[in-house]
Amino acid sequence: LWKAYLLDLSWIVNHGHANLASTLKTAASRAVLNCPYSLWLAQFQMETFLILANLGNSVLDPDSLTAMIGKTIKAKFLTSPIHHLELYLTAIRIMKRRILYLIVMEYDEVFHEKSEQKNSIKPLSDAAEEEIQDLAEDLREVYDEADKFLAKHHKKCSESRFALLNERCKTENAMLTPLLQALENSSATQSASPEPMRCFEQLVE
């Protein structure tokens, strides 16, 4: 019942009724309070942070996402390593989607304003660039936090940690390193980032 209600409400919010965004956030909080054993509801509550950020109602704060993960784990209704992995991966994917949303919205606006210059690339706005860079750096910190948590609390479940590190390698190699280098407006003398190699070394350990 809660799932159907939240999905309907989120559709309404995303299709012209942004004024109901606070209602969606409140409803998600109530749902988790009433059904603390539901992984889906916990994940959806984190999704509301992305919805509000994309509507321009708030800033996506990674600390709020990790605080919510900590609160959920501390409640001890979701206790398996798979649950904990999925909570961290949800936060990570929300941050990645926010980065992609910012990039798409920036260039979509450029193409609509200057359709005659579709082949030209305009730099991101200062605000978008700053948020993207902050989120990219925060992503690495969340990966580190998740890895330390799984290594400490789920030593016997190597599959969960492997899944996390595997995704991190792909994200670092295909997204974070190229993105941060592009934002730095890299020169020919810039040294390669050590992050991709460090991630692959962790994976094969």
Side-chain angles (χ1 to χ4, degrees):
L1 182 60
W2 276 113
K3 182 176 181 179
Y5 173 65
L6 290 172
L7 287 174
D8 284 347
L9 186 55
S10 65
W11 189 92
I12 292 170
V13 168
N14 285 315
H15 289 79
H17 294 277
N19 58 306
L20 295 176
S22 60
T23 303
L24 176 63
K25 183 178 180 180
T26 301
S29 298
R30 286 176 53 208
V32 170
L33 185 63
N34 283 276
C35 303
Y37 45 81
S38 171
L39 174 63
W40 188 91
L41 289 178
Q43 292 172 307
F44 187 85
Q45 188 178 19
M46 287 192 279
E47 287 278 346
T48 62
F49 284 79
L50 178 63
I51 293 172
L52 291 172
N54 288 349
L55 289 173
N57 291 0
S58 64
V59 175
L60 182 64
D61 181 12
D63 289 339
S64 296
L65 292 173
T66 54
M68 187 173 294
I69 292 172
K71 183 179 179 181
T72 302
I73 292 173
K74 189 176 180 180
K76 297 183 178 179
F77 286 98
L78 300 172
T79 58
S80 78
I82 299 300
H83 287 154
H84 297 164
L85 171 65
E86 287 300 324
L87 288 171
Y88 275 108
L89 287 180
T90 297
I92 286 166
R93 289 164 183 166
I94 284 171
M95 294 167 68
K96 288 161 67 174
R97 284 161 56 199
R98 176 61 180 170
I99 290 172
L100 295 175
Y101 176 88
L102 288 166
I103 294 172
V104 168
M105 292 305 292
E106 283 282 308
Y107 285 113
D108 186 59
E109 182 178 343
V110 170
F111 291 161
H112 278 83
E113 289 180 355
K114 298 184 177 182
S115 57
E116 72 281 1
Q117 300 179 9
K118 287 185 179 180
N119 293 325
S120 65
I121 299 297
K122 179 181 176 181
L124 295 168
S125 67
D126 290 342
E129 182 174 331
E130 182 179 0
E131 184 176 355
I132 290 169
Q133 185 157 0
D134 288 344
L135 284 171
E137 293 169 354
D138 287 336
L139 255 175
R140 288 173 171 169
E141 294 179 6
V142 175
Y143 272 118
D144 284 336
E145 179 181 328
D147 184 37
K148 289 176 182 177
F149 178 87
L150 293 174
K152 179 179 179 180
H153 297 281
H154 300 293
K155 295 179 182 179
K156 296 181 179 179
C157 186
S158 58
E159 293 87 353
S160 294
R161 190 162 178 247
F162 177 83
L164 176 73
L165 293 176
N166 185 45
E167 173 151 330
R168 180 174 192 173
C169 286
K170 294 175 182 177
T171 301
E172 188 65 53
N173 194 50
M175 182 180 184
L176 293 184
T177 296
L179 179 60
L180 288 172
Q181 287 178 342
L183 291 178
E184 289 171 4
N185 201 11
S186 59
S187 63
T189 58
Q190 184 181 6
S191 59
S193 170
E195 283 300 315
M197 184 58 66
R198 184 175 75 88
C199 291
F200 279 109
E201 288 173 351
Q202 278 187 302
L203 183 62
V204 299
E205 283 179 356

